[in-house]
Amino acid sequence: MSQDTQNAGIDSAGHDTDAVPGSAPLGSGAAGMGRIVKRETHTSRAVVSVIAAGLVMAVFGYALLETGVRAIGQPPWLVDPQTAAERVVALPAGIPPLLLGVTGAVIAMAGLFFFLNAVLPGRRARHLLPDRRAAVVVDDEVIAAALARRARLAANVAKEQVMVVVSRNRITVNVRPTSGVPLRPDAVLEAVRREVEEMGPWPMPEVRIQVATAGVVGA
Amino acid sequence: MNNTPRALNRVLIGILGILLLAIGVLLILLASVPAVGVWWHEWAGGVLSFWLDLFERTQFPRRQGSWLWLAICLALLVVLGLMIAWIAQQGTGRTSLLVAEEDPGEVPGNVGISGGVAEQALRAALADRPDLAGVTVAAYKISGEPALKIRVEPRQGVAPHRLAAEVSALVEALDAVIGKRTPVLIHIGSGARSRFGRSERVR
């Protein structure tokens, strides 16, 4: 039932002009600050790198085993390198085409995963806040929780009836009113908008409200 | 804000991705299009005969076998070592000293202030707050210069800008104590403790 907040992840559609948030007029106290802010708002791909390195190490480690066994003239563990190469050359033969196609599809999907990870900007779901001393980076989840609380107080509903989704350029406030109790969307929207303006996140998102047509009974 | 080699990560992941993608597409084409199979036989057969020829020409002087196998072993070992070095590069950059400067006073020597000073001071200042689920302070070296990262985890519903202003005031007080302005990053994040803990209703 904890639908209070939700993090919509990175909204990577469009708006690629401001790739360097460090150029924002925010919290730039020292020379290295832009670099720090850039590093905090973009993923380092450390996890994917470790996965990739582990994959390469597994494949090359096995190749090393078989090559080493061959080099010192011992019988192969699973397959001799030369036999393996000959089988690869003869490829459409010797294996069911369906299995070959599925293997290819799996390898291609893994490749696509790594490739997209490298090419996409890799923005984290975070916003910057203005501050005169330090650079402030806030997870979108925290912003959503704060706005959900504000919207809940303005709409006078229970915690479970408000869900706020924060993405890079948009904040959507979803409210389910209590059955029989009128709800003024404009007042809620105004309250949330004022809170966002006071907060001043960068990039500044646009606030929208969605009031569900069906109400909640007995909330 | 650590010193993970981001450009290197991107390049190496990209190369691996393209290679895997090419292999996968080739396998799919081999399984589905017969003409690709014919081309593959010709091309890969040529490559294989080139290598077999190479193995023939690199026999040991007196006994059976080619020394090329040992060379391949060595190359594979080098690649494995590079991969280990790549993994070891991830997440480096922590430092223990926040300030290290020569003392201009009469006594010769250096003054070093550990990052633990900032950590203890900030943790003590933020310890009694009911709206925080956790505080972590760490010092990193950014382009040769120490910087402070303060990660606070507020409970659900805490307004981040007010929290940021309060932590920022603490940082300014810390500046006065240490006597030097280091770059500071305040990260207001959410973790398991703030997500599943009780929400802050009254402040």
Side-chain angles (χ1 to χ4, degrees), chain A residues 128-198:
Chain A
L128 303 178
L129 293 192
D131 189 84
R132 62 199 168 91
R133 171 64 184 90
V136 182
V137 178
V138 186
D139 282 9
D140 284 356
E141 234 169 299
V142 176
I143 296 178
L147 295 180
R149 183 168 182 270
R150 192 77 198 83
R152 176 169 67 84
L153 293 177
N156 197 18
V157 294
K159 186 184 167 197
E160 290 78 20
Q161 286 166 266
V162 177
M163 185 178 81
V164 177
V165 180
V166 176
S167 62
R168 191 172 151 80
N169 295 301
R170 187 170 305 150
I171 293 174
T172 314
V173 182
N174 298 292
V175 185
R176 283 200 300 159
T178 309
S179 243
V181 180
L183 181 89
R184 289 195 299 127
D186 292 344
V188 179
L189 185 63
E190 189 53 38
V192 173
R193 200 168 268 162
R194 214 175 319 124
E195 179 91 358
V196 171
E197 270 163 21
E198 202 186 320

Side-chain angles (χ1 to χ4, degrees), chain B residues 34-75:
Chain B
V36 176
V38 174
W39 166 82
W40 171 251
H41 265 297
E42 248 170 57
W43 185 81
V47 172
L48 181 65
S49 61
F50 167 78
W51 275 96
L52 289 180
D53 188 41
L54 209 59
F55 279 117
E56 280 303 312
R57 285 194 280 115
T58 54
Q59 297 286 328
F60 281 112
R62 273 183 294 282
R63 58 191 179 88
Q64 192 71 14
S66 160
W67 51 261
L68 202 56
W69 289 113
L70 288 175
I72 293 175
C73 272
L74 212 62

Side-chain angles (χ1 to χ4, degrees), chain B residues 79-163:
Chain B
V79 173
L80 282 176
L82 287 177
M83 287 297 127
I84 291 171
W86 184 27
I87 291 179
Q89 285 296 308
Q90 310 295 325
T92 54
R94 287 286 286 269
T95 179
S96 57
L97 280 185
L98 193 57
V99 177
E101 266 175 26
E102 202 177 323
D103 186 13
E106 292 170 9
V107 184
N110 290 337
V111 174
I113 300 179
S114 159
V117 173
E119 179 174 2
Q120 295 297 326
L122 286 169
R123 284 181 83 98
L126 294 169
D128 296 335
R129 296 181 59 124
D131 58 340
L132 292 184
V135 182
T136 327
V137 180
Y140 286 90
K141 208 154 209 157
I142 300 293
S143 45
E145 185 184 10
L148 208 58
K149 177 178 178 177
I150 304 166
R151 181 182 155 84
V152 284
E153 278 186 23
R155 295 194 185 281
Q156 290 209 339
V158 175
H161 52 292
R162 268 165 235 145
L163 182 63

Side-chain angles (χ1 to χ4, degrees), chain A residues 2 4-5 27 29-33 35-40 42-58 60-61 63-65 67-72 80-82 85-86 88-93 97-98 100-105 107-115 117-122 124 126 129-139 141-143 145-146 149 152 159 195 198-200, chain B residues 1-7 9-25 27-28 30-32 36-38 40-41 44-45 48 52 55 60 63 66 68-70 72-77 79-80 83-84 86-87 90-91 141-143 145 147 149 151 154-162 164-165 168-169 171-172 175 180-191 195-197 199-203:
Chain A
S2 60
D4 191 15
T5 60
M33 221 60 228
R35 184 178 145 90
I36 293 176
V37 167
K38 171 114 199 309
R39 289 199 155 228
E40 275 304 307
H42 290 72
T43 171
S44 71
R45 302 175 176 82
V47 176
V48 181
S49 296
V50 172
I51 294 174
L55 201 67
V56 172
M57 280 168 71
F60 278 55
L64 178 66
L65 175 70
T67 319
V69 162
R70 169 74 193 239
I72 57 174
D80 180 48
Q82 192 174 331
E86 276 160 10
V88 167
V89 169
L91 238 193
L98 186 65
L100 186 65
V102 170
T103 311
I107 293 178
M109 285 311 290
L112 199 64
F113 165 75
F114 285 120
F115 182 70
N117 252 300
V119 169
L120 291 180
R124 280 169 164 166
R126 291 176 180 174
L129 293 192
D131 189 84
R132 62 199 168 91
R133 171 64 184 90
V136 182
V137 178
V138 186
D139 282 9
E141 234 169 299
V142 176
I143 296 178
R149 183 168 182 270
R152 176 169 67 84
K159 186 184 167 197
E195 179 91 358
E198 202 186 320
M199 204 181 287
Chain B
M1 73 189 249
N2 50 26
N3 288 339
T4 301
R6 302 194 166 207
N9 281 2
R10 272 183 105 144
V11 169
L12 289 183
I13 293 171
I15 291 173
L16 181 71
I18 290 174
L19 281 180
L20 287 181
L21 204 58
I23 293 172
V25 170
L27 289 185
I28 295 174
L30 278 177
S32 54
V36 176
V38 174
W40 171 251
H41 265 297
L48 181 65
L52 289 180
F55 279 117
F60 281 112
R63 58 191 179 88
S66 160
L68 202 56
W69 289 113
L70 288 175
I72 293 175
C73 272
L74 212 62
L76 289 174
L77 271 176
V79 173
L80 282 176
M83 287 297 127
I84 291 171
W86 184 27
I87 291 179
Q90 310 295 325
K141 208 154 209 157
I142 300 293
S143 45
E145 185 184 10
K149 177 178 178 177
R151 181 182 155 84
R155 295 194 185 281
Q156 290 209 339
V158 175
H161 52 292
R162 268 165 235 145
S168 172
V171 169
E172 281 177 336
D175 285 343
K180 192 189 172 199
R181 276 172 70 99
T182 48
V184 174
L185 177 94
I186 300 171
H187 177 202
I188 303 176
S190 63
R195 207 170 292 150
F196 297 115
S199 65
E200 179 65 17
R201 286 173 183 271
V202 185
R203 259 203 77 196

